């Protein structure tokens, strides 16, 4: 339902090239090609958080962007960022949208 809602909203705004899809964060399947990947409220378990970190690293290696949204009360969000620090960049950290200065590169 959520992906259909996003597609319909995008169409109403004239964003006809927007594509949505589901991806299993715990599987090692091929990553769909995109310019921007959005992960939102996906940290339901530690296995998913670790899988999301691996996927994030793989996506960043392609030059694409990844936006990750997670509520501060999600315990597994810290598992995600700790794993991303371990496998990708030890300086990764969470930040607020309000802290964003407009830089194009950010981790």
């Amino acid at each position: 339902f959520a992906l259909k809602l996003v597609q319909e909203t995008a169409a109403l705004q004239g964003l006809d090239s927007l594509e949505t899809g589901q991806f299993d964060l715990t599987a090692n399947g091929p990553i769909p090609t995109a310019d921007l990947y959005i992960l939102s409220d996906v940290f339901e378990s530690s296995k998913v958080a670790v899988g999301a970190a691996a996927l994030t690293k793989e996506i960043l290696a392609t030059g694409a962007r990844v936006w990750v949204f997670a509520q501060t009360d999600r315990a597994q969000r810290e598992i995600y960022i700790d794993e991303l620090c371990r496998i990708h960049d030890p300086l990764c950290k969470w930040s607020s949208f309000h802290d964003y200065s407009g830089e194009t590169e950010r981790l």
Side-chain angles (χ1 to χ4, degrees):
F1 172 76
L3 296 179
K4 183 167 177 52
L5 186 61
V6 168
Q7 289 173 323
E8 289 178 7
T9 303
L12 288 172
Q13 297 178 49
L15 301 172
D16 299 325
S17 64
L18 178 78
E19 293 181 26
T20 62
Q22 294 178 332
F23 186 82
D24 184 347
L25 295 172
T26 63
N28 290 327
I31 300 171
T33 302
D35 298 318
L36 172 65
Y37 298 79
I38 299 173
L39 305 177
S40 180
D41 290 328
V42 296
F43 306 124
E44 297 299 324
S45 71
S46 58
K47 184 177 180 181
V48 171
V50 168
L55 179 67
T56 299
K57 177 186 177 195
E58 199 171 330
I59 289 169
L60 292 172
T62 71
R65 293 185 179 160
V66 181
W67 291 354
V68 181
F69 300 92
Q71 296 169 301
T72 57
D73 64 347
R74 299 273 183 182
Q76 291 80 7
R77 81 181 219 137
E78 294 310 315
I79 292 171
Y80 166 82
I81 201 68
D82 289 346
E83 180 68 5
L84 193 58
C85 286
R86 187 184 74 76
I87 65 173
H88 178 64
D89 184 342
L91 300 178
C92 290
K93 65 179 183 171
W94 290 112
S95 60
S96 165
F97 176 76
H98 301 289
D99 298 333
Y100 184 51
S101 66
E103 301 169 16
T104 57
E105 297 298 321
R106 188 169 179 208
L107 280 177

